Amino acid sequence: LPLGTVLANAALGACERASEWQIVLSLFSHFQRRQLPMDVVTAGTILNALEKAGRWEDALDWFESTRTESNGAMQPNIITFSIALRCCASNVGRAAALLEEMRCRQLSPNAFS
């Protein structure tokens, strides 16, 4: 990974741990404008920040947007899907759709999913 991505993920992680979800999203937008390559650590951090803030709909919408963009570095994996599934606790339909997408991507749910 480029050093910029590592440092960006560290900054996002610090804000996520401080429960500063709005700053996490702001920093992510800034990093996108600077065209820093982002990865699944980035995605997991953003999803965690939104989930912790009780913003599960925003988390799921953000996760959906990362899967529809053509940015290969943000391809979801078992970890990001597991976090997104946690956000679906009150929406069985979305959880079922995510599980189906995992199956189609040949990702097997695990104990965290």
Side-chain angles (χ1 to χ4, degrees):
L1 286 176
L3 184 57
T5 301
V6 173
L7 294 174
N9 285 340
L12 291 170
C15 293
E16 181 257 328
R17 286 186 297 283
S19 300
E20 296 289 348
W21 67 269
Q22 292 164 316
I23 295 174
V24 168
L25 292 179
S26 178
L27 281 174
F28 177 72
S29 293
H30 175 75
F31 297 148
Q32 278 190 310
R33 285 191 303 277
R34 292 190 156 284
Q35 298 180 337
L36 281 174
M38 297 290 133
D39 60 9
V40 294
V41 173
T42 310
T45 302
I46 292 168
L47 289 170
N48 274 326
L50 291 169
E51 180 200 15
K52 285 180 184 178
R55 304 192 62 87
W56 64 270
E57 288 179 327
D58 291 333
L60 293 173
D61 289 344
W62 186 86
F63 187 60
E64 177 71 27
S65 74
T66 66
R67 295 189 334 272
T68 56
E69 292 175 5
S70 60
N71 183 349
M74 296 292 279
Q75 288 298 314
N77 65 8
I78 189 68
I79 296 167
T80 54
F81 268 107
S82 295
I83 297 167
L85 282 167
R86 277 197 327 248
C87 295
C88 289
S90 62
N91 191 322
V92 176
R94 281 186 99 167
L98 284 174
L99 286 168
E100 178 61 22
E101 184 176 345
M102 286 177 71
R103 188 189 66 75
C104 290
R105 290 176 182 258
Q106 298 180 342
L107 295 172
S108 299
N110 60 24
F112 299 107
S113 307

